[in-house]
Amino acid sequence: MRPEILTPLYQSVQVLPKIGPKLAGLLGRLTRGTDGDEARVIDLLFHRPYSLIDRQRQPGAANAVDGEIATFELHIDQHMAPPPGNKRLPYRVTGHDRTGEMDLVFFHAHAAYLEKTLPVGEIRYVSGTVEWFRNIPQMVHPDHIVSAEDFAVMPLVEPVYPMTGGLSRKVFGRAVSFAVDLVPKLPEWLDKTVLEPRNWPEFQQALIQLHNPKALSDLEPTSPHHSRLAYDELLATQLALAITRQKMKKQKGVSREFSGNTGRKIIAALPFSLTHSQTTAIAQIQADLRKPERMLRLLQGDVGSGKTLVGLMAMADVVEAGFQAGFMAPTELLARQHFQTMQPLCAAAGLRIAILTGKDKQSHRKAVIAGLEAGEIDILVGTHALFQESVAFRDLALIVVDEQHRFGVHQRLALSAKGIAVDVLVMTATPIPRTLVLTYFGDMDVSKLMEKPAGRQPIDTRSVSQERIDDVITGLQRALANGQKAYWVCPLVEEAEILELTSAEERFAALKSVFGDGIGLVHGRMTPAEKDAAMASFKSGETRILVATTVIEVGVDVPDATIMVVEHAERFGLSQLHQLRGRVGRSTGKSSCILLYKAPLGETAKARLNILRETEDGFRIAEEDLRLRGEGEVLGVRQSGAPTFRIADLQVHADLLEMARKEARLILQRDPDMQTQRGRDLRILLYLFGLDEAIRYLKAG
Ligand code: ADP
Ligand code: MG
């Protein structure tokens, strides 16, 4: 399937000299962000250097500058091993050049090895950091020691890459240079009119230049080679999205017929009336559903704007038309919560709703699956993992995807590949800037919930130093005595769920000694039943403080909780804090959010906390977040561990994105099945960026 010309790039890095399974795994973790997957040659090629070491300076020993990296041509004079029994003294090799003497210093040295690499009486080129010691320049553990012959071919400017523990620069650098040698010359898929005015090199050349920077300017994302590769990546993504969309448009959708009576029963059962935005969004969705084309709509709405209800209304319409609907939540906790809030509304409207999660008992699972097949269940709520497995519906017509930034190109491709030809409504809380919508969702139609439900008061947000935690606890005692409820979110411990758990358990114990039994704990390691129980007690008011890890970050809805305390707020990102704060302020009561921080605060952390105090406008917060942290983090890529873009950086390449989108459309207009020579060349591009799923659609045509 994959063009043969790309085979060398898809081999495991184990084909490179001196790379075994262990290094291949480490390199996989570094370049693919996954554990257990070996890196392939292409993964190394897409790993970008961020800096460089310049060894071009050759000042001569006497003129060497303390602390600087330089290279010297030394005549090796003498080896001085430390006296036996004194291992703490270094092994010293003296040498000289035209200008003066220089010492090379080695700790824990292997004499035999040094005698071989630094033979007395010969010339060796050494490169490293110079230190002056007792009026003699010396170099401790030179980075390079080479003969004149090897020096002639040694690059004097070395790229520096992001690294991971257990991997040395040298090993990585060598692996990359072998990898670069494997890049074949590929047919050009970009148009001359794109390449020439910008001075962009061809693909192979661009990769060579990416890994052989000669000056700092070569590391700029705006440099010709980097821009070209970024454009390649953006074009591949946009092309994949356009192909998917073309395919979806071709597959005839079904026009759903319904009167809207079921939905009206839901509205009648609500204790409030819909906001204007909700009404508009519902109408837009109804129009989509009635059209004989497939719906692909994004519902954007800030935290607390009431997206769930809009999703439920869409499902009600589809069921009324005689079909089934699925609701995908990002976590089990949320799936359960949604099920619980929807259940009474569904009952009022005569809809049969069920829930299925990965941890359910076999008997429950069997019953639900049978119910789905028999058409006895109208709406299924579950996690998205579940929908990617083989749950068979009798007549699935709509999938609602909740709070899912990561539902990007790959997920879309995966879902469609399962043959699920349904209408899709994606709901997202972080109002994503337009460039990002384009990139991750392609040409989706967008509905927006502009306002919050009536009567919501601004959330009083304060940052308080961790040293004043006792005051916070005292304040909390007072608030609880007044009948309020509070969340207490424990510090985020990056990449260490266990530590996060420990800190949550410790905080729980400490608060329990103050507040007694009215306190609950919820974290990611609990069983679904335990989580349910903890949430239920908090909802009912049996517990009035809920200590939690970030599992409650997204979507949790307990309207009468009015206080949010976040410990070590400086460790969280802006959007995350905004999400957390969005757990309160969900009713007409006055809410507050206390951001505990550990002083002193860094500049970025300070900026983040200030923005939160200034505004509750999710859109502004998202844009600030983008500015402070880059797009990958905004979209939660860090948490999922899956890199979205490997080369492109939207903060720099936004104009290229727009250009790629237009070109992708044009390509498909002219050559819908990508059968021309250029079309075939562009298929290589799709393979290069792992978007081969899209190619299947072309074949199936
Ligand atoms: P989000 O958009 O963050 O997913 P939810 O759908 O969880 O928000 O809704 C937040 C809260 O607001 C819920 O308790 C929900 O019942 C309530 N809500 C939704 N729509 C309205 C409305 N029109 N008026 C008042 N409250 C509403
Ligand atoms: Mg929600």
Side-chain angles (χ1 to χ4, degrees), residues 181-439:
D181 288 342
L182 290 178
V183 183
K185 189 174 159 61
L186 297 173
E188 183 56 77
W189 48 76
L190 292 187
D191 214 79
K192 269 206 190 77
T193 56
V194 170
L195 290 171
E196 281 173 2
R198 294 174 181 83
N199 255 329
W200 284 356
E202 57 180 82
F203 182 81
Q204 181 193 37
Q205 201 54 37
L207 273 182
I208 293 174
Q209 287 174 16
L210 182 72
H211 293 289
N212 291 282
K214 299 275 179 278
L216 280 173
S217 60
D218 291 337
L219 297 169
E220 294 291 330
T222 48
S223 60
H225 57 271
H226 193 157
S227 302
R228 187 223 149 113
L229 295 170
Y231 187 68
D232 281 335
E233 183 171 35
L234 293 170
L235 182 61
T237 323
Q238 292 303 306
L239 203 50
L241 281 168
I243 293 169
T244 317
R245 183 160 179 96
Q246 171 179 285
K247 165 86 175 173
M248 287 186 91
K249 281 258 147 104
K250 252 193 229 166
Q251 282 175 338
K252 267 223 149 153
V254 180
S255 131
R256 327 271 176 207
E257 285 169 33
F258 52 88
S259 67
N261 273 339
T262 313
R264 275 189 280 275
K265 283 184 199 152
I266 291 178
I267 294 174
L270 291 172
F272 47 73
S273 50
L274 298 180
T275 65
H276 181 68
S277 299
Q278 282 172 322
T279 310
T280 311
I282 290 167
Q284 286 169 336
I285 292 165
Q286 287 181 330
D288 283 358
L289 293 174
R290 288 189 170 119
K291 272 189 226 154
E293 279 154 35
R294 299 191 37 203
M295 174 171 83
L296 196 53
R297 185 170 283 277
L298 180 68
L299 177 65
Q300 285 193 336
D302 206 354
V303 280
S305 59
K307 294 183 291 297
T308 317
L309 190 57
V310 177
L312 178 61
M313 291 292 288
M315 296 197 288
D317 289 336
V318 162
V319 174
E320 195 194 316
F323 301 89
Q324 292 168 306
F327 191 101
M328 289 166 50
T331 63
E332 302 225 0
L333 188 72
L334 277 184
R336 283 169 194 285
Q337 175 194 290
H338 284 312
F339 176 67
Q340 278 152 13
T341 40
M342 287 181 197
Q343 208 173 23
L345 295 172
C346 285
L351 300 171
R352 296 162 298 179
I353 186 170
I355 180 170
L356 193 56
T357 73
K359 289 172 187 159
D360 282 322
K361 287 210 185 80
Q362 268 308 321
S363 54
H364 175 79
R365 202 181 164 82
K366 269 198 187 133
V368 169
I369 289 176
L372 280 176
E373 280 173 2
E376 285 157 6
I377 292 172
D378 300 318
I379 295 177
L380 181 69
V381 179
T383 57
H384 51 289
L386 193 73
F387 284 88
Q388 277 155 13
E389 285 172 33
S390 56
V391 176
F393 288 80
R394 186 178 59 106
D395 230 336
L396 181 66
L398 169 70
I399 289 193
V400 179
V401 187
D402 187 31
E403 307 281 8
Q404 185 51 289
H405 309 315
R406 279 169 245 156
F407 190 72
V409 191
H410 287 277
Q411 284 73 16
R412 183 109 57 82
L413 289 170
L415 199 66
S416 308
K418 291 246 183 289
I420 306 178
V422 294
D423 289 325
V424 177
L425 177 67
V426 179
M427 310 201 294
T428 176
T430 311
I432 310 173
R434 186 185 133 75
T435 45
L436 295 189
V437 172
L438 266 182
T439 324

Side-chain angles (χ1 to χ4, degrees), residues 105-120:
V105 178
F106 301 88
F107 292 92
H108 307 290
H110 289 281
Y113 171 77
L114 288 177
E115 275 158 19
K116 210 174 107 207
T117 36
L118 291 161
V120 170

Side-chain angles (χ1 to χ4, degrees), residues 464-465 468-477 488 565 594 596:
V464 176
S465 162
R468 289 180 44 212
I469 191 166
D470 288 341
D471 298 345
V472 172
I473 291 176
T474 312
L476 211 51
Q477 279 174 309
W488 187 295
V565 181
I594 295 159
L596 283 172

